């Protein structure tokens, strides 16, 4: 073992000298700098080029994904939805946001894995930015209490409100 390390320039005698205090890794590969580079705030993220934003959208932290989902470039927002680190809780929060693009809500509504969560379905149905066609398909999957709230909610579109009222009337007629 000593010959192995000696061939690579490392002494195995255990003496602590100037060489023992020097790092074994090159300076450019310092692991302490890497997390600091990743932790970019919302203002720093908005100043990055699209390629860098895409990298952060896929590999970034939860906060970074929350910022990038609202990006004006739709490719960046779609990259957030493609992140392997994305959780259902985050998707639910995205579905509630009023300042996300309609395309993001449309993708969430078209993804079966996300629609397995009732919280995501309810958030999409209640979001005023959700496309009307998508919201109408989600109404039958809601609980009666949520449909009642949706039928009087002034924030959603008129078509969704009317559909919720009709669904309540036909649902009540079927129970009799």
């Amino acid at each position: 073992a000593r010959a192995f390390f000696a061939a690579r320039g490392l002494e195995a005698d255990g003496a602590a000298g100037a060489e023992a205090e020097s790092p074994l890794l090159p300076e450019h590969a310092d692991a302490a700098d890497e997390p600091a580079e990743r932790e970019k705030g919302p203002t720093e993220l908005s100043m990055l080029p699209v390629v860098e934003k895409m990298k952060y959208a896929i590999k970034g932290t939860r906060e970074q994904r929350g910022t990038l989902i609202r990006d004006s470039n739709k490719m960046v927002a779609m990259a957030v939805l493609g992140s392997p680190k994305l959780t259902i809780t985050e998707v639910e929060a995205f579905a509630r946001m009023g300042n996300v693009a309609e395309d993001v809500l449309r993708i969430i509504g078209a993804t079966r894995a996300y629609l397995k969560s009732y919280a995501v379905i309810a958030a999409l149905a209640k979001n005023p930015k959700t496309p009307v066609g998508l919201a109408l398909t989600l109404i039958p999957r809601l609980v009666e209490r949520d449909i009642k709230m949706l039928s009087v909610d002034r924030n959603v579109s008129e078509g969704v409100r009317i559909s919720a009222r009709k669904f309540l009337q036909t649902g009540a007629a079927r129970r009799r």
Side-chain angles (χ1 to χ4, degrees):
R2 287 180 190 222
F4 175 81
F5 289 110
R8 283 153 182 79
L10 299 173
E11 295 296 323
D13 61 339
E19 293 178 24
E21 290 184 25
S22 65
L24 296 177
L25 296 174
E27 289 182 338
H28 67 276
D30 191 9
D33 291 343
E34 192 175 329
E37 184 179 310
R38 280 194 204 148
E39 296 175 15
K40 296 213 183 270
T43 54
E44 293 170 337
L45 281 173
S46 65
M47 303 303 285
L48 292 174
V50 174
V51 176
E52 289 294 315
K53 287 181 186 179
M54 299 273 288
K55 287 179 185 175
Y56 281 103
I58 294 171
K59 297 180 180 180
T61 64
R62 180 182 197 136
E63 291 80 22
Q64 290 168 341
R65 287 191 299 273
T67 301
L68 291 172
I69 195 74
R70 292 175 264 148
D71 196 83
S72 58
N73 190 327
K74 292 178 185 172
M75 285 178 36
V76 175
M78 297 305 160
V80 171
L81 293 177
S83 173
K85 296 180 177 182
L86 192 66
T87 63
I88 289 291
T89 312
E90 287 177 87
V91 173
E92 179 188 342
F94 299 158
R96 281 196 192 121
M97 287 182 183
N99 55 356
V100 294
E102 278 186 29
D103 290 340
V104 171
L105 298 173
R106 198 172 272 124
I107 295 291
I108 292 172
T111 307
R112 291 180 76 186
Y114 300 150
L115 292 181
K116 289 181 181 178
S117 168
Y118 181 80
V120 171
I121 294 169
L124 280 174
K126 294 174 186 175
N127 192 332
K129 275 203 132 175
T130 302
V132 176
L134 175 60
L136 293 177
T137 62
L138 298 175
I139 290 174
R141 297 179 66 180
L142 294 174
V143 178
E144 187 175 349
R145 186 186 92 235
D146 286 338
I147 297 173
K148 283 180 183 175
M149 290 177 61
L150 199 60
S151 69
V152 294
D153 189 356
R154 287 288 197 188
N155 291 326
V156 297
S157 70
E158 186 68 22
V160 174
R161 255 184 289 150
I162 290 170
S163 181
R165 277 190 221 124
K166 284 182 181 177
F167 190 81
L168 283 172
Q169 290 172 353
T170 59
R174 273 189 257 148
R175 288 188 202 108
R176 289 183 187 164

